[in-house]
Amino acid sequence: IPQRFGELGRSGRIIAPNGVNLRLGPDPGFPAMAALDTGAVVTLLARSPYSPWIKVDAGGTIGWVALLTIDTRAYLDAIPIDFTVPPQPTPTLIPGSFGNAFPDPNASGGN
């Protein structure tokens, strides 16, 4: 990662008021591995190919945090993309919705 001047040139500081969860993957649907307090400093390792999340090293524990929860001066476009991340979790469907946004005009049941 190209170094920018200052303390946060290759790292980030957690700025979320209540801290953040360090997750197994780059999405809130992945399980949390640890909690990071506000002010914790993490080393930036990689970025997600499909979401604004950053893979970080938090004192030897490696996981993912949302980019908007950290303050950094690193050049984000130069951080390598981790293409080995698991796919995003499938969202849970609302019972009865089956993912359809509109009624099926071919379904029987009267119009």
Side-chain angles (χ1 to χ4, degrees):
I1 300 172
Q3 173 68 39
R4 285 204 171 167
F5 295 111
E7 178 189 359
L8 299 179
R10 292 183 184 213
S11 60
R13 181 178 294 117
I14 303 299
I15 58 171
N18 296 323
V20 296
N21 286 322
L22 187 65
R23 298 195 176 271
L24 287 174
D27 187 89
F30 285 99
M33 306 166 33
L36 303 177
D37 294 328
T38 301
V41 176
V42 296
T43 302
L44 308 178
L45 302 176
R47 56 191 168 114
S48 168
Y50 57 77
S51 63
W53 284 63
I54 298 289
K55 187 177 193 178
V56 300
D57 181 343
T61 304
I62 296 175
W64 294 85
V65 295
L67 181 58
L68 65 97
T69 64
I70 64 173
D71 178 28
T72 184
R73 292 195 178 126
Y75 181 56
L76 296 175
D77 288 339
I79 297 172
I81 297 173
D82 183 351
F83 289 104
T84 65
V85 297
Q88 290 176 297
T90 305
T92 304
L93 295 176
I94 298 170
S97 73
F98 304 106
N100 296 328
F102 301 99
D104 184 353
N106 300 318
S108 60
N111 283 16

